[in-house]
Amino acid sequence: MSEQNQENGASEKTANGRPASPLEEPSAKRQRVEEPAATETAAGENGTAETQATTQETQPTKKVDARDNRDKGYAPIKKEYLVDVSELRAQAAAQAQDDDAAEGREGGDDRDGDGKRGKKKKAKGQNTERSFGKFDDALPLCNSRAFYPEFSPRDCRFGDRCRMCHDIRKYLAEGRRGDIETFEGKCPVFIKYGWCPSGWKCRFVRSHMEEVEREDGRKELILIDNSGKDNKSVKKDGGIAASEGTEAEDSRPGVVNVVAMSAKIDMNRKRLDFSEADKYIGWLDAVAKTNNKNHHRRKDEDGDADAAAAAAAATPAEDNRAQFVDPPFKPSEKRRLYFGPETPTLAPLTTQGNMPFRRLCVEMGCQLTYSEMALGMPLLQGVKADWTLMRAHESEVEPPKYNGKIPVYDNARDLRFGAQISGSAHWVTTKAANALARFCPHLRLIDLNCGCPIDMVYKTGGGSALLEAHGKLERMIRGMNAVSGEIPITAKIRMGVRSSRPTAPAVIERLAFGSKEHRERLGAPGCAAITLHGRSREQRYTKLADWSYIGECAALIRGYNEQRDALTDTAAEPDPSTLANTQDGGRLFFLGNGDCYSHVDYYKHIDEARVDSVMIGRGALIKPWLFEEIEKGQYLDKSASERLTYIEKFVRYGLEAWGSDELGLGFTRRFLLEWLSFAHRYVPLGLLERLPPSINERPPAYHGRNDLETLMASPNYKDWIKISEMFLGPCHPGFQFMPKHKSNSYEAEG
């Protein structure tokens, strides 16, 4: 009987070429969710030494004392650093909030129900349930005064009706908080660029202002400009020209992909010309109707071959060809992409994937970056928040590292920054891609999110819902490819919606070749690269990423060249001119994503799963120097002072991106705290008993090697605020911060 059970267990593990799900195994064999799967090594295959090493890894670690709970998915902290908090554990558990409560959903959320809880107008945008208070000046300064000398203001377009302050001296004395004393009281933006785009609103303004005496004896306050450049147009944008649609932050130094307010207004009022996109969308709709009609006709004829042939002759494919409009660029004429082992990629991260954090990662060695996910419809409506996500730093438009030898790839034309969008209809994503190509000249690619698990996106038919709508997904890729100019189109997917029914192979085949009925007439959709997150929508971000499944899909893509050669029917083979990246058949790059936390994980996935590169999400949030570890091929035990230096850099980059005024400081503080909600989970290598570390192992209560290291490891958001005050000064009285989650296992990444 025991032998039969062993055989059954073996058959479960080998099903579909992957280990059986923990939910499908007997309870006695089921592993804990937090623990990585044990490596299976057959006795006699790898030698005695390897077998002994494997046995040591799979056997439970012997406890040091009662405080040691490493067998529960906790990081193996050395005994001398453990802290006994047994009496406080029950109290902490009673006070802990769940993830929904942390996002302000104690009373439920209409997006997760039937939407009939009430007629109260819902706020637009993402993460609308969390409040960060108000952090603005007590007496706001009018933009007609904010960037100009005291005696040379611009006319206020509101005149006497303006409720803002027009007296600079009164504003400096009563309308704002005092100057910040951090950074030695000197404005970091002014020190770097020689001028400050925040003007009189800067919280370091006394470091770049002076009082001069005029010939008539009057003393005038002026702003210092040592940049040596003509910034009049910049000041005009922030001042009186604000009425014409431009804004002060549109002229931040070192920022690209800035879209003029006039273009956003045109989109909002539906005045932007989408005639070319409309033609292609109309043609796609006609093709879909024809295919649907033919499908139902064949179904009604119930397999009658003669009738089916007659119906096909009655509605020839040329009718669709007559409605076809050639795109500006075919997929084969687009800019070539490259992904390789030397190009570790930062995943698109909602909230945390902001420009200062991406800039920090690029400085650490990250080669490719993505914007935060933008929703297609708000982009078409000209919503400022979504278009702001498309901005990138000038360091992100430099070519990535390249060690390959692809003849058609021009590294000098390549850049690092790509945009990710989401949509629930093909016409939305098609027009959004067209708008991005027209207004954002510095984009490496446009990525379609097909993996976002949150209900707000999924229930509208976007994100991971596309994994079960292959026809719509194919139309999206085709439409985006036709109107995106030279910018390639890629997709990011998950294993499937449900763990028990993975659909990634079918989705990959659709993206690579298109449906069988479309290959003759349309060719391939032209998807240039696919990224697979090794979890299902059902799993969200729990359990371990299934890299064995990612490896199977990578093998499927590697076999596509052989599959093309094996196609003897030329009508079934896609047109080579519609395949992206190369002229000789179209190289489809494939990236894996999930649980990469060290250079060992990175190169292991490349060698074993044989993906082109690895996309990194939470691992980079916890330790951005992961890219540096990958580049150097070794562990880096960063001290607390080094990590504090990275926080200082983030603050400097945040002040450059969002401004050094009160609002800019508030945004910088808010996003710094969002990052620290992940960064505090880093356990210094010197405190661990074994390597490599695992992203899914949570540390028990411990103290660091010094007080600063202990502070940076604190899970209490009040300690994170203390860290922010080291560089941004005391918080604004109206500032609030509520942690997004208690467990920090949540990551808003598609």
Side-chain angles (χ1 to χ4, degrees), residues 548-579:
S548 63
Y549 188 82
I550 295 176
E552 294 174 11
C553 294
L556 179 65
I557 289 181
R558 289 196 304 272
Y560 278 156
N561 289 331
E562 301 175 2
Q563 183 177 344
R564 281 197 299 267
D565 296 338
L567 287 174
T568 56
D569 184 3
T570 57
E573 185 178 4
D575 182 1
S577 68
T578 63
L579 297 172

mmCIF file of all heavy atoms in Angstrom, residues 548-579:
data_model
loop_
_atom_site.group_PDB
_atom_site.id
_atom_site.type_symbol
_atom_site.label_atom_id
_atom_site.label_comp_id
_atom_site.label_asym_id
_atom_site.label_seq_id
_atom_site.Cartn_x
_atom_site.Cartn_y
_atom_site.Cartn_z
ATOM 1 N N SER A 548 9.650 26.605 -13.100
ATOM 2 C CA SER A 548 9.647 25.439 -13.983
ATOM 3 C C SER A 548 8.641 25.642 -15.122
ATOM 4 O O SER A 548 8.906 25.263 -16.274
ATOM 5 C CB SER A 548 9.315 24.172 -13.190
ATOM 6 O OG SER A 548 8.011 24.245 -12.633
ATOM 7 N N TYR A 549 7.510 26.257 -14.809
ATOM 8 C CA TYR A 549 6.519 26.556 -15.844
ATOM 9 C C TYR A 549 7.043 27.628 -16.803
ATOM 10 O O TYR A 549 6.823 27.554 -18.023
ATOM 11 C CB TYR A 549 5.216 27.011 -15.190
ATOM 12 C CG TYR A 549 4.066 27.170 -16.147
ATOM 13 C CD1 TYR A 549 3.311 26.075 -16.543
ATOM 14 C CD2 TYR A 549 3.736 28.415 -16.664
ATOM 15 C CE1 TYR A 549 2.250 26.220 -17.426
ATOM 16 C CE2 TYR A 549 2.679 28.571 -17.539
ATOM 17 C CZ TYR A 549 1.939 27.466 -17.918
ATOM 18 O OH TYR A 549 0.892 27.614 -18.792
ATOM 19 N N ILE A 550 7.738 28.628 -16.247
ATOM 20 C CA ILE A 550 8.348 29.646 -17.107
ATOM 21 C C ILE A 550 9.351 28.997 -18.048
ATOM 22 O O ILE A 550 9.439 29.348 -19.234
ATOM 23 C CB ILE A 550 9.020 30.736 -16.244
ATOM 24 C CG1 ILE A 550 7.967 31.499 -15.429
ATOM 25 C CG2 ILE A 550 9.819 31.696 -17.111
ATOM 26 C CD1 ILE A 550 8.554 32.536 -14.480
ATOM 27 N N GLY A 551 10.120 28.015 -17.544
ATOM 28 C CA GLY A 551 11.068 27.305 -18.388
ATOM 29 C C GLY A 551 10.394 26.537 -19.510
ATOM 30 O O GLY A 551 10.907 26.472 -20.634
ATOM 31 N N GLU A 552 9.222 25.940 -19.216
ATOM 32 C CA GLU A 552 8.476 25.226 -20.261
ATOM 33 C C GLU A 552 8.032 26.181 -21.360
ATOM 34 O O GLU A 552 8.118 25.859 -22.558
ATOM 35 C CB GLU A 552 7.264 24.538 -19.641
ATOM 36 C CG GLU A 552 7.604 23.417 -18.666
ATOM 37 C CD GLU A 552 6.369 22.874 -17.974
ATOM 38 O OE1 GLU A 552 5.260 23.235 -18.408
ATOM 39 O OE2 GLU A 552 6.519 22.110 -17.010
ATOM 40 N N CYS A 553 7.559 27.366 -20.961
ATOM 41 C CA CYS A 553 7.128 28.343 -21.963
ATOM 42 C C CYS A 553 8.319 28.886 -22.749
ATOM 43 O O CYS A 553 8.198 29.173 -23.949
ATOM 44 C CB CYS A 553 6.362 29.479 -21.281
ATOM 45 S SG CYS A 553 4.799 28.981 -20.528
ATOM 46 N N ALA A 554 9.468 29.029 -22.088
ATOM 47 C CA ALA A 554 10.671 29.467 -22.803
ATOM 48 C C ALA A 554 11.079 28.434 -23.845
ATOM 49 O O ALA A 554 11.494 28.786 -24.960
ATOM 50 C CB ALA A 554 11.808 29.715 -21.815
ATOM 51 N N ALA A 555 10.957 27.164 -23.503
ATOM 52 C CA ALA A 555 11.261 26.104 -24.468
ATOM 53 C C ALA A 555 10.278 26.142 -25.631
ATOM 54 O O ALA A 555 10.647 25.869 -26.785
ATOM 55 C CB ALA A 555 11.219 24.742 -23.775
ATOM 56 N N LEU A 556 9.026 26.489 -25.350
ATOM 57 C CA LEU A 556 8.028 26.603 -26.413
ATOM 58 C C LEU A 556 8.412 27.690 -27.409
ATOM 59 O O LEU A 556 8.316 27.503 -28.623
ATOM 60 C CB LEU A 556 6.661 26.908 -25.791
ATOM 61 C CG LEU A 556 5.482 27.095 -26.753
ATOM 62 C CD1 LEU A 556 5.186 25.804 -27.491
ATOM 63 C CD2 LEU A 556 4.254 27.573 -25.988
ATOM 64 N N ILE A 557 8.884 28.809 -26.913
ATOM 65 C CA ILE A 557 9.280 29.902 -27.797
ATOM 66 C C ILE A 557 10.538 29.535 -28.576
ATOM 67 O O ILE A 557 10.656 29.859 -29.766
ATOM 68 C CB ILE A 557 9.486 31.188 -26.974
ATOM 69 C CG1 ILE A 557 8.129 31.709 -26.479
ATOM 70 C CG2 ILE A 557 10.210 32.252 -27.782
ATOM 71 C CD1 ILE A 557 8.200 32.976 -25.689
ATOM 72 N N ARG A 558 11.479 28.850 -27.926
ATOM 73 C CA ARG A 558 12.683 28.433 -28.654
ATOM 74 C C ARG A 558 12.346 27.471 -29.787
ATOM 75 O O ARG A 558 13.062 27.393 -30.785
ATOM 76 C CB ARG A 558 13.675 27.768 -27.696
ATOM 77 C CG ARG A 558 14.347 28.716 -26.731
ATOM 78 C CD ARG A 558 15.566 28.078 -26.103
ATOM 79 N NE ARG A 558 15.243 26.819 -25.448
ATOM 80 C CZ ARG A 558 14.837 26.707 -24.183
ATOM 81 N NH1 ARG A 558 14.679 27.800 -23.462
ATOM 82 N NH2 ARG A 558 14.565 25.538 -23.658
ATOM 83 N N GLY A 559 11.257 26.734 -29.621
ATOM 84 C CA GLY A 559 10.877 25.795 -30.659
ATOM 85 C C GLY A 559 10.101 26.400 -31.802
ATOM 86 O O GLY A 559 9.765 25.701 -32.758
ATOM 87 N N TYR A 560 9.825 27.721 -31.740
ATOM 88 C CA TYR A 560 9.046 28.329 -32.804
ATOM 89 C C TYR A 560 9.803 28.367 -34.135
ATOM 90 O O TYR A 560 9.193 28.273 -35.200
ATOM 91 C CB TYR A 560 8.626 29.749 -32.412
ATOM 92 C CG TYR A 560 7.405 29.782 -31.531
ATOM 93 C CD1 TYR A 560 7.153 30.848 -30.684
ATOM 94 C CD2 TYR A 560 6.494 28.729 -31.547
ATOM 95 C CE1 TYR A 560 6.030 30.876 -29.870
ATOM 96 C CE2 TYR A 560 5.370 28.747 -30.735
ATOM 97 C CZ TYR A 560 5.142 29.819 -29.904
ATOM 98 O OH TYR A 560 4.042 29.849 -29.109
ATOM 99 N N ASN A 561 11.114 28.529 -34.091
ATOM 100 C CA ASN A 561 11.879 28.516 -35.343
ATOM 101 C C ASN A 561 11.746 27.166 -36.040
ATOM 102 O O ASN A 561 11.550 27.091 -37.257
ATOM 103 C CB ASN A 561 13.346 28.829 -35.073
ATOM 104 C CG ASN A 561 13.551 30.280 -34.684
ATOM 105 O OD1 ASN A 561 12.790 31.147 -35.100
ATOM 106 N ND2 ASN A 561 14.576 30.540 -33.885
ATOM 107 N N GLU A 562 11.846 26.091 -35.252
ATOM 108 C CA GLU A 562 11.661 24.761 -35.827
ATOM 109 C C GLU A 562 10.232 24.590 -36.324
ATOM 110 O O GLU A 562 9.991 23.951 -37.352
ATOM 111 C CB GLU A 562 11.988 23.695 -34.789
ATOM 112 C CG GLU A 562 13.413 23.770 -34.260
ATOM 113 C CD GLU A 562 13.672 22.764 -33.146
ATOM 114 O OE1 GLU A 562 12.735 21.998 -32.838
ATOM 115 O OE2 GLU A 562 14.776 22.758 -32.597
ATOM 116 N N GLN A 563 9.290 25.171 -35.599
ATOM 117 C CA GLN A 563 7.893 25.053 -36.013
ATOM 118 C C GLN A 563 7.660 25.755 -37.345
ATOM 119 O O GLN A 563 6.945 25.256 -38.213
ATOM 120 C CB GLN A 563 6.980 25.645 -34.934
ATOM 121 C CG GLN A 563 5.494 25.508 -35.242
ATOM 122 C CD GLN A 563 4.634 26.040 -34.108
ATOM 123 O OE1 GLN A 563 5.113 26.244 -32.998
ATOM 124 N NE2 GLN A 563 3.371 26.277 -34.395
ATOM 125 N N ARG A 564 8.287 26.911 -37.537
ATOM 126 C CA ARG A 564 8.135 27.618 -38.809
ATOM 127 C C ARG A 564 8.744 26.809 -39.955
ATOM 128 O O ARG A 564 8.216 26.759 -41.062
ATOM 129 C CB ARG A 564 8.798 28.991 -38.713
ATOM 130 C CG ARG A 564 7.981 30.029 -37.981
ATOM 131 C CD ARG A 564 8.499 31.415 -38.299
ATOM 132 N NE ARG A 564 9.897 31.567 -37.873
ATOM 133 C CZ ARG A 564 10.259 32.040 -36.700
ATOM 134 N NH1 ARG A 564 9.336 32.387 -35.820
ATOM 135 N NH2 ARG A 564 11.516 32.172 -36.384
ATOM 136 N N ASP A 565 9.887 26.190 -39.676
ATOM 137 C CA ASP A 565 10.512 25.377 -40.718
ATOM 138 C C ASP A 565 9.671 24.158 -41.058
ATOM 139 O O ASP A 565 9.709 23.656 -42.186
ATOM 140 C CB ASP A 565 11.907 24.924 -40.269
ATOM 141 C CG ASP A 565 12.844 26.112 -40.086
ATOM 142 O OD1 ASP A 565 12.576 27.167 -40.686
ATOM 143 O OD2 ASP A 565 13.833 25.972 -39.335
ATOM 144 N N ALA A 566 8.916 23.666 -40.068
ATOM 145 C CA ALA A 566 8.129 22.460 -40.286
ATOM 146 C C ALA A 566 6.817 22.726 -41.005
ATOM 147 O O ALA A 566 6.151 21.798 -41.442
ATOM 148 C CB ALA A 566 7.852 21.770 -38.947
ATOM 149 N N LEU A 567 6.449 24.009 -41.124
ATOM 150 C CA LEU A 567 5.182 24.327 -41.774
ATOM 151 C C LEU A 567 5.331 24.147 -43.289
ATOM 152 O O LEU A 567 6.018 24.910 -43.960
ATOM 153 C CB LEU A 567 4.764 25.773 -41.459
ATOM 154 C CG LEU A 567 4.259 26.018 -40.034
ATOM 155 C CD1 LEU A 567 4.029 27.497 -39.812
ATOM 156 C CD2 LEU A 567 2.994 25.243 -39.763
ATOM 157 N N THR A 568 4.722 23.144 -43.790
ATOM 158 C CA THR A 568 4.806 22.887 -45.229
ATOM 159 C C THR A 568 3.755 23.653 -46.008
ATOM 160 O O THR A 568 3.930 23.933 -47.193
ATOM 161 C CB THR A 568 4.625 21.386 -45.503
ATOM 162 O OG1 THR A 568 3.384 20.954 -44.929
ATOM 163 C CG2 THR A 568 5.758 20.600 -44.867
ATOM 164 N N ASP A 569 2.677 23.998 -45.359
ATOM 165 C CA ASP A 569 1.616 24.755 -46.018
ATOM 166 C C ASP A 569 1.936 26.240 -45.890
ATOM 167 O O ASP A 569 1.854 26.818 -44.812
ATOM 168 C CB ASP A 569 0.267 24.440 -45.357
ATOM 169 C CG ASP A 569 -0.880 25.125 -46.082
ATOM 170 O OD1 ASP A 569 -0.617 25.785 -47.111
ATOM 171 O OD2 ASP A 569 -2.023 24.994 -45.617
ATOM 172 N N THR A 570 2.327 26.869 -46.985
ATOM 173 C CA THR A 570 2.712 28.273 -46.923
ATOM 174 C C THR A 570 1.553 29.173 -46.519
ATOM 175 O O THR A 570 1.762 30.263 -46.013
ATOM 176 C CB THR A 570 3.255 28.731 -48.291
ATOM 177 O OG1 THR A 570 2.246 28.482 -49.287
ATOM 178 C CG2 THR A 570 4.520 27.981 -48.641
ATOM 179 N N ALA A 571 0.337 28.722 -46.756
ATOM 180 C CA ALA A 571 -0.819 29.539 -46.362
ATOM 181 C C ALA A 571 -0.969 29.599 -44.857
ATOM 182 O O ALA A 571 -1.548 30.530 -44.321
ATOM 183 C CB ALA A 571 -2.088 28.976 -46.984
ATOM 184 N N ALA A 572 -0.437 28.599 -44.142
ATOM 185 C CA ALA A 572 -0.571 28.574 -42.686
ATOM 186 C C ALA A 572 0.575 29.284 -41.997
ATOM 187 O O ALA A 572 0.534 29.504 -40.799
ATOM 188 C CB ALA A 572 -0.645 27.128 -42.193
ATOM 189 N N GLU A 573 1.611 29.607 -42.759
ATOM 190 C CA GLU A 573 2.766 30.269 -42.166
ATOM 191 C C GLU A 573 2.570 31.781 -42.194
ATOM 192 O O GLU A 573 2.143 32.345 -43.209
ATOM 193 C CB GLU A 573 4.027 29.904 -42.936
ATOM 194 C CG GLU A 573 5.293 30.462 -42.304
ATOM 195 C CD GLU A 573 6.520 30.022 -43.086
ATOM 196 O OE1 GLU A 573 6.341 29.375 -44.118
ATOM 197 O OE2 GLU A 573 7.630 30.341 -42.644
ATOM 198 N N PRO A 574 2.864 32.476 -41.100
ATOM 199 C CA PRO A 574 2.680 33.926 -41.095
ATOM 200 C C PRO A 574 3.645 34.616 -42.043
ATOM 201 O O PRO A 574 4.741 34.137 -42.306
ATOM 202 C CB PRO A 574 2.962 34.313 -39.633
ATOM 203 C CG PRO A 574 3.807 33.217 -39.106
ATOM 204 C CD PRO A 574 3.345 31.981 -39.803
ATOM 205 N N ASP A 575 3.211 35.761 -42.554
ATOM 206 C CA ASP A 575 4.036 36.550 -43.448
ATOM 207 C C ASP A 575 5.266 37.036 -42.693
ATOM 208 O O ASP A 575 5.145 37.706 -41.666
ATOM 209 C CB ASP A 575 3.219 37.742 -43.953
ATOM 210 C CG ASP A 575 4.006 38.604 -44.933
ATOM 211 O OD1 ASP A 575 5.166 38.256 -45.220
ATOM 212 O OD2 ASP A 575 3.455 39.609 -45.393
ATOM 213 N N PRO A 576 6.482 36.740 -43.168
ATOM 214 C CA PRO A 576 7.686 37.169 -42.440
ATOM 215 C C PRO A 576 7.762 38.674 -42.251
ATOM 216 O O PRO A 576 8.364 39.146 -41.293
ATOM 217 C CB PRO A 576 8.835 36.653 -43.322
ATOM 218 C CG PRO A 576 8.247 35.521 -44.084
ATOM 219 C CD PRO A 576 6.818 35.902 -44.328
ATOM 220 N N SER A 577 7.141 39.451 -43.142
ATOM 221 C CA SER A 577 7.211 40.906 -43.009
ATOM 222 C C SER A 577 6.426 41.427 -41.825
ATOM 223 O O SER A 577 6.585 42.578 -41.430
ATOM 224 C CB SER A 577 6.707 41.578 -44.289
ATOM 225 O OG SER A 577 5.318 41.356 -44.444
ATOM 226 N N THR A 578 5.562 40.593 -41.260
ATOM 227 C CA THR A 578 4.762 41.034 -40.111
ATOM 228 C C THR A 578 5.380 40.630 -38.788
ATOM 229 O O THR A 578 4.834 40.953 -37.734
ATOM 230 C CB THR A 578 3.345 40.439 -40.183
ATOM 231 O OG1 THR A 578 3.433 39.009 -40.102
ATOM 232 C CG2 THR A 578 2.664 40.826 -41.479
ATOM 233 N N LEU A 579 6.495 39.914 -38.816
ATOM 234 C CA LEU A 579 7.145 39.477 -37.592
ATOM 235 C C LEU A 579 8.124 40.538 -37.124
ATOM 236 O O LEU A 579 8.857 41.119 -37.916
ATOM 237 C CB LEU A 579 7.866 38.142 -37.814
ATOM 238 C CG LEU A 579 6.952 36.965 -38.172
ATOM 239 C CD1 LEU A 579 7.785 35.761 -38.558
ATOM 240 C CD2 LEU A 579 6.051 36.623 -37.006
#
